[in-house]
Amino acid sequence: MADVESAEKLSSVSRPSEGVGGACCSEISTELIRSLTELQELEAVYERLCGEEKVVEKELDALLEQQNTIESKMVTLHRMGPNLQLIEGDAKQLAGMITFTCNLAENVSSKVRQLDLAKNRLYQAIQRADDILDLKFCMDGVQSALRNEDFEQAAAHIHRYLCLDKSVIELSRQGKEGSMIDANLKLLQEAEQRLKAIVAEKFAIATKEGDLPQVERFFKIFPLLGLHEEGLSKFSEYLCKQVASKAEENLLLVLGSDMSDRRAAVIFADTLTLLFEGIARIVETHQPIVETYYGPGRLYTLIKYLQIECDRQVEKVVDKFTKQRDYQQQFRLVQNNLRNSAPEKIEPRELDPILTEVTLMNARSELYLRFLRKRISSDFEVGDSMASEEVKQEHQKCLDKLLNNCLLSCTMQELIGYYITMEEYFMRETVNKAVALDTYEKGQLTSSMVDDVFYIVKKCIGRALSSSSIDCLCAMINLATRELEADFRGVLSNKLKMGFPATTLQDIQRGVTSAVNIMQSSLQQGRFDTKGIESTDEAKLSFLVTLNNVEVCSENISTLKKTLESDCTKLFSQGIGGEQAQAKFDSCLSDLAAVSNKFRDLLQEGLAELSSTAVKPQVQPWINTFLSVSHNIEEEEFNDYEANDPWVQQFILNLEQQMSEFKASLSPVIYDSLTSLLTSLVAVELEKVVLKSSFNRLGGLQFDKELRSLIAYLTTVTTWTIRDKFARLSQMATILNLERVTEILDYWGANSGPLTWRLTPAEVRQVLALRIDFRHEDIKRLRL
Amino acid sequence: MRSSLMPLGPPVSRDRIIDTFPKWYTPDASLQLKEHFHGQVSAACERRNTGTVGLKLSKVVVVGDLYVGKTSLIHRFCKNIFDRDYKATIGVDFEIERFEIAGIPYSLQIWDTAGQEKFKCIASAYYRGAQVIITAFDLTDVQTLEHTRQWLEDALRENEVGSCFIFLVGTKKDLLSGAACEQAEAEAVHLANEMQAEYWSVSAKTGENVKAFFSRVAALAFEQSVLQELEKRNSARPQVGDGNLIRMEENSPETQDSKRPFSLGCC
């Protein structure tokens, strides 16, 4: 008890002493010691005090050890004292010097600035003086140059004068010699006018005489006199005259040319080509002069003037073309023919040369316009390198307007418009002809019209492509799409609609025999009405050939699309057509490609027809014979079946015979589809008869064997796996093969393993019930 | 097949999103008077079960006399610009405009044809396969309205009967006063009924009704496309793998079982 109390006392007392702080080092105060009465407590306190004393002594020792170092540090500090004073003095001096330098620098720079200003003014003054001197020099120079007929020199003087700052002239007037300079200026202005007149006159003379060096000489003077527009317009006038005379010459040559000439059929296209080449050559040769003496960005003006003449000449050529070739007349006839209201039909072959010529004409003008665009844009680019975006756009707009709205463009578009209609007519009529003249050669899968039609379509689209006009090409692709989808597909579809004739009784017994065989055999036997057989066989053959045709069409369309695509990438890479041209083209092409699928659908329809009219009626009786074979058999019969197959071998033989006929006259792809349809049919029909039969254990085994050989055979005739189609039948065979009803559970549900059941539980029960040796109660009791 | 044309760019802009069925311009000449999407269509859209409709482009062909403003109308809608200068369309131009209708992306391919007689041969080659035919006329020029008959006849000749939506659009509405406009519209509505077309009055200059009109066009075309797709799917023959071979019911009790110990552990 006492211990606890005193401990409490100790702790309670020691607290204030802590609060007092460092003055009293010990935790135990004297009052506390005094208050202690027990010896034990005293001893304890004493011990603690001793401990504290030791700690204090250690601390004191440590402090004393440091004394030496501290003292040495103090000494060094004392030594540094005077140095610090020195530094302070130096620093003050430095600051003073810096301030002084700064002031000095400012003084100097302000003086430099003044000097600079003075220098600039001086330069200006010198410039002015120079200008005034130049002015005087020009005044004198012009006179003498004009006297000597040195027009280049005179123009150079005038150019110098025109370049002078107007204020300089004002300034020189104010000088002492004001009146004299005034007079001189007047002279100068007069000289300018005179020079302009002379140059214009001389240029006109040179133009008249066709003196190219003189023309070029004065052409170069115009810009010196600040007459850029006038110079260009006059020069192009001269060039236009040359273009015109050359073009007239060419046109006369054409009109007088022999129509049996090798190039006679495209003579107008050639004339246009000559015209374009002529203009291109002019641009080529004169561009450097214009660029050098008139600066970049002026080519547009020159070409603008030239294009007017070009349009005029093109109009003449096209006019003659229209007249000589009866273009309008032919177009009107074609239009009437298309509307079926024409008294006379145009032979499409007669249109061939004119269509080729029109596309060639358009291709040439596209090429020419592209050349102009390239030249003008690059010239603008150099001229506008410093110009704002607006100016650039303005120039681009001008360029577009010039090239798109020129008469050449419009005329060509008009010609192409007519061309499209005529080409459509050409295509339609030739396709009709190909269909009418359709022939089939023995040993071939398809008939002639497929190749012919695609040759025609390719030719027409190819011709449209050769015009280098994307609109024209796309329009032609659209028309071809229509022709193939509506008309040609219609032809094939009608042929298929006539159907595969149902076979006669004799045919069923013999299986389908190829047309030729039937004909031969019937002729030999002389039993049948050969005419009737012939027509049904022809109908059959026609049906099969049409199926092949449809398939080839679908293929051909895909090929056509691919070829067009690759042809046009070339065209687009040359930069033909606007930004939308490619998208337009792609869109039309995808419409064309979609027709390929339509043909594929038609093929499927045809195959379905074939399967239902020719295959199914034959296969069904063969399968039905399965019902007449008992599958409720004993060991003996089972062995007997082994030796004398009751059903499957004959069935396979029949199938093989039938399919071999088709194999010979159908393309491999269609034949594959047909066998696929056949296998589906066999699977479905066989399932039906199996569900009508009854089995015992050995019968089930027999069916399993039969199914295996059937699947093995069908696998050899088809290219893809048929296991999927026979999955349900195989599973039925598995069920029919069970020892006991409950054995099914080894294959069902969790035990099915990799097997996916294609039969529903109800169907499994139904199949189990086919086994006469399985009890109904057992089947009912199954938990599936 | 057309996916190469699909501009798989950024999402469509806000004003190309159509959630509610756009209304007709006038009930007197309208193709459909209902105010909501066909029930099957909205259901299919909700289930995102519209098949390949979102990848397809519907072809819209705009025809009409020259200078009635076909190009201006299209440019106002597609680029939101109006150019005062007349520039004749050469041959054909086209624009692809993307929409999002009831949450399904959908694109219109708008073919702008030339009105000039001399380009008719080229332009008419593009009429085929159109889902929508827009015949435009100038509200201030009665002649152009009369000519729409011929334009429509030409365009329909290239398409299957009853396969296209037909719109009759009067342009330059801003140039007419209220009374004159009403009179012109009455005539047009009469003709529209004869043509079995839907009538709209628009102004490309002010932009009045332009967006509403094209939204209506897009919505009708979209609805038809979806219905066709659904019909095609219903009539499609069942194919291998279509049956209910994978039965989900068998799995569901198992999953419930496997969940049960978990819930027990929690408590």
Side-chain angles (χ1 to χ4, degrees), chain A residues 331 335 339 397 404-405 410-411 413-414 416-418 420-421 424 469-476 478-479 481-482 485-486 561 580 582-584 586-588 590-591 593-594 597 604 608 677 724-725 748-749 756-761, chain B residues 1-5 57 59 75 79 83 85-96 109-112 116-129 150 154 157-160 237 239-241 244-247 250 254:
Chain A
F331 167 70
Q335 218 172 16
R339 289 188 191 137
K397 236 183 181 172
N404 293 339
N405 294 357
C410 296
T411 314
Q413 277 147 16
E414 222 166 307
I416 284 295
Y418 296 141
I420 296 271
T421 309
E424 182 192 3
S469 157
I470 295 297
D471 272 348
C472 168
L473 171 64
C474 288
M476 214 48 226
N478 283 343
L479 290 172
T481 305
R482 207 196 67 159
E485 188 185 338
K561 185 202 168 205
Q580 298 242 291
Q582 173 99 48
K584 234 190 251 179
D586 285 345
S587 163
C588 293
S590 71
D591 283 348
N597 292 334
Q604 287 308 319
L677 281 173
D724 193 64
K725 286 182 176 150
W748 191 261
T756 314
W757 279 94
R758 296 289 179 83
L759 300 172
T760 62
Chain B
M1 159 190 66
R2 291 183 173 188
S3 56
S4 60
L5 277 172
L57 291 162
K59 188 167 171 181
H75 279 197
K79 300 174 180 166
D83 195 346
D85 297 338
Y86 174 64
K87 214 172 110 190
T89 306
I90 297 163
V92 285
D93 275 339
F94 91 141
E95 301 282 341
I96 290 177
Q109 187 184 45
I110 306 170
W111 289 83
D112 178 15
Q116 276 170 291
E117 183 65 31
K118 61 179 175 182
F119 296 133
K120 226 172 168 177
C121 297
I122 291 189
S124 63
Y126 291 84
Y127 293 162
R128 194 175 162 67
Q150 186 57 44
D154 289 348
R157 199 180 300 139
E158 301 291 328
N159 286 288
E160 277 172 51
R237 275 180 298 170
Q239 288 176 335
V240 173
N244 259 342
L245 298 175
I246 303 164
R247 278 182 290 280
E250 285 179 31
E254 274 178 38

Side-chain angles (χ1 to χ4, degrees), chain A residues 47-61:
Chain A
E47 238 167 76
R48 270 177 71 181
L49 280 173
C50 284
E52 269 177 32
E53 189 188 353
K54 265 179 203 158
V55 172
V56 171
E57 255 171 25
K58 248 183 222 162
E59 276 175 12
L60 272 174
D61 284 345

Side-chain angles (χ1 to χ4, degrees), chain A residues 476-708:
Chain A
M476 214 48 226
I477 292 176
N478 283 343
L479 290 172
T481 305
R482 207 196 67 159
E483 183 64 36
L484 289 173
E485 188 185 338
D487 299 350
F488 190 52
R489 187 174 166 276
V491 168
L492 294 175
S493 171
N494 283 339
K495 287 207 170 190
L496 287 182
K497 271 197 194 115
M498 294 203 281
F500 192 80
T503 36
T504 56
L505 186 67
Q506 286 88 352
D507 284 336
I508 291 174
Q509 284 168 349
R510 290 185 308 158
V512 178
T513 322
S514 79
V516 184
N517 280 351
I518 282 194
M519 214 165 76
Q520 284 171 346
S521 65
S522 56
L523 278 173
Q524 283 160 3
Q525 291 161 2
R527 270 194 292 165
F528 307 115
D529 175 11
T530 38
K531 190 108 192 214
I533 291 290
E534 203 176 341
S535 62
T536 43
D537 280 332
E538 251 175 27
K540 279 180 191 170
L541 190 64
S542 149
F543 187 89
L544 296 182
V545 166
T546 309
L547 272 188
N548 290 329
N549 285 349
V550 171
E551 200 247 338
V552 172
C553 281
S554 166
E555 286 297 310
N556 281 354
I557 291 170
S558 303
T559 321
L560 183 62
K561 185 202 168 205
K562 269 181 215 140
T563 353
L564 279 176
E565 244 166 16
S566 70
D567 286 351
C568 284
T569 36
K570 269 181 242 154
L571 209 62
F572 287 124
S573 66
Q574 289 168 14
I576 288 181
E579 71 238 51
Q580 298 242 291
Q582 173 99 48
K584 234 190 251 179
F585 171 70
D586 285 345
S587 163
C588 293
L589 210 54
S590 71
D591 283 348
L592 175 67
V595 179
S596 172
N597 292 334
K598 295 232 165 106
F599 274 96
R600 199 138 289 190
D601 292 345
L602 186 62
L603 177 64
Q604 287 308 319
E605 277 169 37
L607 272 175
E609 157 82 14
L610 183 63
S611 163
S612 67
T613 58
V615 179
K616 198 172 172 186
Q618 307 239 358
V619 172
Q620 209 152 20
W622 297 336
I623 291 180
N624 285 341
T625 53
F626 181 86
L627 287 169
S628 58
V629 179
S630 168
H631 282 79
N632 183 10
I633 47 172
E634 297 307 315
E635 189 81 37
E636 204 179 316
E637 284 165 299
F638 180 75
N639 288 336
D640 183 40
Y641 279 172
E642 186 112 29
N644 307 307
D645 182 89
W647 173 74
V648 76
Q649 292 308 329
Q650 185 57 42
F651 180 47
I652 289 173
L653 209 67
N654 287 342
L655 281 182
E656 193 158 47
Q657 203 178 355
Q658 184 185 28
M659 290 314 283
S660 68
E661 309 294 345
F662 287 121
K663 188 167 189 171
S665 45
L666 284 176
S667 82
V669 178
I670 306 180
Y671 177 70
D672 269 354
S673 309
L674 188 65
T675 44
S676 160
L677 281 173
L678 174 76
T679 46
S680 304
L681 182 75
V682 168
V684 171
E685 294 299 323
L686 192 56
E687 197 181 311
K688 280 186 201 156
V689 295
V690 165
L691 288 174
K692 282 185 204 155
S693 310
S694 58
F695 301 83
N696 63 1
R697 170 79 182 85
L698 280 176
L701 196 59
Q702 172 66 22
F703 172 60
D704 193 57
K705 269 171 65 183
E706 284 165 345
L707 187 63
R708 273 171 208 279

